[in-house]
Amino acid sequence: LIQEKHLHKNKNIDISPEDIDHLCNAIKSQTKSKYTVNNDKQKTKYIKTSNSTKVGKSKSKSKYVQLSQQMEILNHDGLRAQSLLLCVKPEYIDNNNGDEGFGMNKNKNRKEFGFLSFLEKTITTDAVNELFLKFSNKTKQKNKKYLSNAQFTSILTLTVIIYKIRLFQIRTGCDDKEPEIDAEKIKISIQNFAIWCICKYGKLIEGKGYKIKFTKYDYSHNLCHWIRDYVANDGNL
């Protein structure tokens, strides 16, 4: 259950550790999770989830490990188009929301708030720590310093979900509109970019496939550069 008081709509629209915690609790649900909003009408919102998109887990981990499946995803034009669209699609928010750090469009009352801007401007160090904690708690190695291929894909999926919810909050103020987010669809849309990163920045394991060791430093300092590189190369290695 996600209460609005945990999803801070402050002027700098940062993502706090509390936001991460409550969103993760909802996304982990095997069925629809109620997204309750404290407004005058007490409307109930929903985030669509599925059994195959639990945070930190995947029932199809092999597709991120085996070289043949990695290449199939990497060379899939449709999946590449979806990932590129996510990375480059412009979104705009009112100028009186957020801080002054977002790029302005021709209308001075609006700011650009695409996925890349979201990553650059709102994900704090504490939020990154909270995200990684959600995944490390799911492994036997509590002090593990990096995420596996499947976990990397899952943390990207979770990040996009958080982005879309935050975008909804800023635009609507959580009024009586219902944000319906299909976690499985988002996971599919990020797969090509995830595999591209795994192949480009990971290590090829003989007889298996490419393997990445995704760290907090990568998330905080490299991920935005990877997105720019991915877009600049049209998703090609």
Side-chain angles (χ1 to χ4, degrees):
L1 193 65
I2 311 174
Q3 299 292 338
E4 183 179 330
K5 64 182 180 181
H6 295 301
L7 297 171
H8 308 291
K9 297 191 295 177
N10 52 40
K11 288 189 175 182
N12 62 18
I13 57 176
D14 286 345
I15 297 296
S16 72
E18 289 79 12
D19 294 339
I20 301 295
D21 186 48
H22 289 274
L23 285 168
C24 286
N25 286 338
I27 296 165
K28 284 191 298 184
S29 174
Q30 294 185 8
T31 58
K32 282 185 181 178
S33 296
K34 290 185 178 180
Y35 171 41
T36 301
V37 178
N38 290 331
N39 57 20
D40 293 337
K41 296 182 180 180
Q42 287 294 313
K43 295 291 183 179
T44 300
K45 314 297 180 184
Y46 297 98
I47 302 172
K48 290 183 178 180
T49 61
S50 66
N51 292 344
S52 61
T53 55
K54 292 183 178 180
V55 174
K57 293 185 178 181
S58 173
K59 291 187 176 181
S60 54
K61 291 182 180 180
S62 62
K63 73 169 65 174
Y64 306 118
V65 177
Q66 299 300 320
L67 182 60
S68 60
Q69 291 179 305
Q70 289 175 346
M71 291 301 101
E72 182 179 354
I73 294 172
L74 185 65
N75 295 317
H76 194 290
D77 291 339
L79 293 178
R80 184 186 301 113
Q82 289 187 55
S83 289
L84 285 170
L85 179 62
L86 172 66
C87 293
V88 303
K89 183 181 179 182
E91 299 285 359
Y92 295 95
I93 60 175
D94 289 341
N95 190 26
N96 59 357
N97 289 298
D99 60 21
E100 297 300 324
F102 296 102
M104 301 290 292
N105 75 332
K106 292 181 180 180
N107 183 343
K108 292 185 178 181
N109 291 321
R110 304 176 74 204
K111 294 180 182 180
E112 200 280 326
F113 193 60
F115 183 55
L116 185 58
S117 294
F118 167 78
L119 285 174
E120 290 178 322
K121 304 296 182 180
T122 69
I123 301 294
T124 64
T125 299
D126 288 341
V128 173
N129 290 335
E130 186 67 25
L131 276 169
F132 271 73
L133 184 62
K134 296 301 178 184
F135 290 88
S136 62
N137 284 344
K138 297 295 181 180
T139 68
K140 294 180 180 178
Q141 297 172 286
K142 297 296 183 181
N143 297 318
K144 190 176 180 181
K145 302 297 183 181
Y146 59 86
L147 301 184
S148 66
N149 289 7
Q151 290 174 323
F152 170 57
T153 305
S154 293
I155 203 171
L156 287 178
T157 302
L158 177 57
T159 301
V160 176
I161 290 173
I162 293 170
Y163 161 64
K164 288 184 177 294
I165 292 175
R166 178 60 93 209
L167 182 61
F168 166 83
Q169 290 179 319
I170 297 169
R171 282 177 166 172
T172 69
C174 291
D175 55 13
D176 58 358
K177 293 182 180 180
E178 296 185 0
E180 293 187 353
I181 296 178
D182 190 329
E184 184 64 25
K185 185 176 180 179
I186 289 175
K187 187 174 185 179
I188 292 171
S189 74
I190 203 69
Q191 277 184 354
N192 186 266
F193 171 67
I195 294 299
W196 183 89
C197 292
I198 289 169
C199 294
K200 186 172 179 65
Y201 302 107
K203 181 180 180 181
L204 180 60
I205 306 300
E206 186 176 355
K208 294 185 179 180
Y210 287 90
K211 181 178 180 181
I212 199 171
K213 293 184 177 181
F214 188 69
T215 65
K216 293 178 185 178
Y217 184 89
D218 287 328
Y219 194 111
S220 299
H221 297 89
N222 293 331
L223 186 57
C224 289
H225 296 297
W226 295 357
I227 291 175
R228 290 192 182 93
D229 196 13
Y230 175 76
V231 171
N233 289 281
D234 291 326
N236 297 306
L237 285 177

